[in-house]
Amino acid sequence: MATLSALNTSELLYEEKQLYRPSLAELKEVIQSALVKNFENVTVEVTDCPDLKTAEYGLMDSGLGGSPTLLELGGPPYLLPLVQREKLYNVKEICQKTMGGGKILAVGAGAGPYPLRNSNCEGIYNMSISAEGQLKNGSYTAKVSGLEESCVLESIPDTEPRCALLLNLFVCRGEPGQVLKISCKKRTGHLNFIECIRQGLLEKYQDKCVGMGGMFKINQGKAHQHVMRDFSRTPIVDEHELNQWLKFYEMPATLTALGTLITHENDLDLRLQHFHSFSNSNWGGHYHYDTTPEIVEYEAYLNVAERVVRVDKPKETHKFGRD
């Protein structure tokens, strides 16, 4: 089937904008003051990035440094109201074009390569690309399986460079360097962890566009997360129908979430926040919020992006299916 081959990377529309890039020291203060409104115990510090390749974190390279970039492919209009199956992307090639070759780490949240599973699925992206162009995949898909509708988490092989429909990536050289380390315990407010950070940045920087990405872990507690069912045969036209189609789960720690956040759409029809998580116990999906505020523990490592690159932006758009 010709429709199963990825779109030609060189023929896609690429748009790029520089982002406002405050210092990590300044961001530390802004994020700390935002999080203390939402959590009882908060520590934010500028620190050398731990080795994220260790089993504790599970990333495909050590750090979040080196030309940090936000990369968004496609978007929800390619999924809703009805799927556009031809929207398959070669993530490896697009990252290489975006970064101009060299060593690359790409982590984030999107739709998985449906031809691989013969089903729609979530994608949890965690890829390293060597300077010679060799892909190593620590990525996963999560899908809804069987009559019981259980969540099934499966590794994506090194031979599979694709995603479908939509993807938000934090892309860098995987180099060590300084990052923001954030630790939060006991949620007291109503905002989720990422929304709290994003709102704090938006209030501080207003019309200046700030983007960040990386990873966070939920080390204790549980999270409300969804996994997309297989593609709908009937159009999904609003949030209510969307929530009927998605399968929601309460997923237990430990969860490792990868993704991006940005303060504005920046005239690029950007998704403002998007994190997908994986675990060592067959759980994976799209993060919404924790369900155990009394005991929840978050641990995050984030870096601030220099620019955003937008690839294959939908010509016709809508605003649902983005939270």
Side-chain angles (χ1 to χ4, degrees), residues 55-279:
E56 183 181 356
Y57 302 108
L59 266 58
M60 296 306 289
D61 211 336
S62 301
L64 300 176
S67 305
T69 298
L70 300 189
L71 174 60
E72 179 162 356
L73 314 182
Y78 294 154
L79 173 67
L80 310 166
L82 283 170
V83 63
Q84 298 180 34
R85 289 177 187 264
E86 72 278 8
K87 293 297 184 180
L88 269 175
Y89 303 101
N90 187 312
V91 182
K92 176 188 154 185
E93 291 179 358
I94 291 170
C95 286
Q96 288 173 311
K97 179 166 178 173
T98 297
M99 299 296 278
K103 173 171 98 85
I104 296 167
L105 172 69
V107 296
Y114 69 84
L116 179 68
R117 305 293 181 224
N118 199 29
S119 172
N120 185 29
C121 52
E122 303 288 343
I124 304 102
Y125 285 88
N126 176 19
M127 307 168 120
S128 71
I129 305 164
S130 71
E132 297 73 41
Q134 183 182 9
L135 171 63
K136 287 204 165 172
N137 235 330
S139 308
Y140 295 93
T141 60
K143 70 178 183 182
V144 179
S145 181
L147 292 174
E148 308 80 31
E149 296 202 311
S150 51
C151 174
V152 175
L153 187 73
E154 298 171 278
S155 296
I156 299 179
D158 294 345
T159 51
E160 176 57 89
R162 297 174 300 178
C163 78
L165 308 170
L166 57 97
L167 178 60
N168 293 88
L169 286 178
F170 178 81
V171 187
C172 65
R173 297 296 181 194
E175 294 170 357
Q178 293 207 308
V179 294
L180 278 186
K181 178 183 179 183
I182 304 167
S183 303
C184 292
K185 295 179 186 176
K186 195 170 182 185
R187 181 170 57 81
T188 55
H190 67 277
L191 294 178
N192 76 36
F193 176 66
I194 294 298
E195 183 71 6
C196 187
I197 293 172
R198 203 186 71 76
Q199 290 284 5
L201 296 174
L202 183 59
E203 286 170 24
K204 167 68 177 177
Y205 297 110
Q206 299 193 6
D207 58 347
K208 293 172 178 162
C209 190
V210 177
M212 301 187 77
M215 64 162 295
F216 71 84
K217 290 178 69 186
I218 298 179
N219 288 322
Q220 192 160 321
K222 294 180 179 177
H224 181 71
Q225 302 204 134
H226 82 240
V227 178
M228 296 183 290
R229 291 182 169 99
D230 203 1
F231 298 123
S232 176
R233 295 192 176 143
T234 55
I236 294 170
V237 297
D238 58 31
E239 293 284 349
H240 174 74
E241 290 183 3
L242 175 65
N243 288 329
Q244 295 292 309
W245 171 64
L246 297 172
K247 173 67 177 173
F248 291 92
Y249 302 88
E250 189 177 53
M251 301 192 186
T254 304
L255 295 164
T256 301
L258 309 174
T260 64
L261 64 104
I262 194 163
T263 54
H264 301 76
E265 291 188 24
N266 211 6
D267 297 323
L268 291 173
D269 194 26
L270 300 174
R271 193 163 184 161
L272 297 179
Q273 58 197 57
H274 198 191
F275 279 78
H276 286 181
S277 77
F278 65 91
S279 77

Side-chain angles (χ1 to χ4, degrees), residues 271-320:
R271 193 163 184 161
L272 297 179
Q273 58 197 57
H274 198 191
F275 279 78
H276 286 181
S277 77
F278 65 91
S279 77
N280 292 325
S281 55
N282 208 34
W283 292 108
H286 174 110
Y287 168 78
H288 286 274
Y289 51 84
D290 66 80
T291 59
T292 52
E294 288 288 318
I295 62 164
V296 73
E297 294 186 11
Y298 288 92
E299 174 189 358
Y301 298 93
L302 301 174
N303 200 3
V304 58
E306 298 171 348
R307 60 188 179 127
V308 59
V309 176
R310 186 72 174 94
V311 180
D312 198 33
K313 180 181 74 183
K315 289 186 175 70
E316 294 181 24
T317 194
H318 54 63
K319 297 303 179 202
F320 73 98

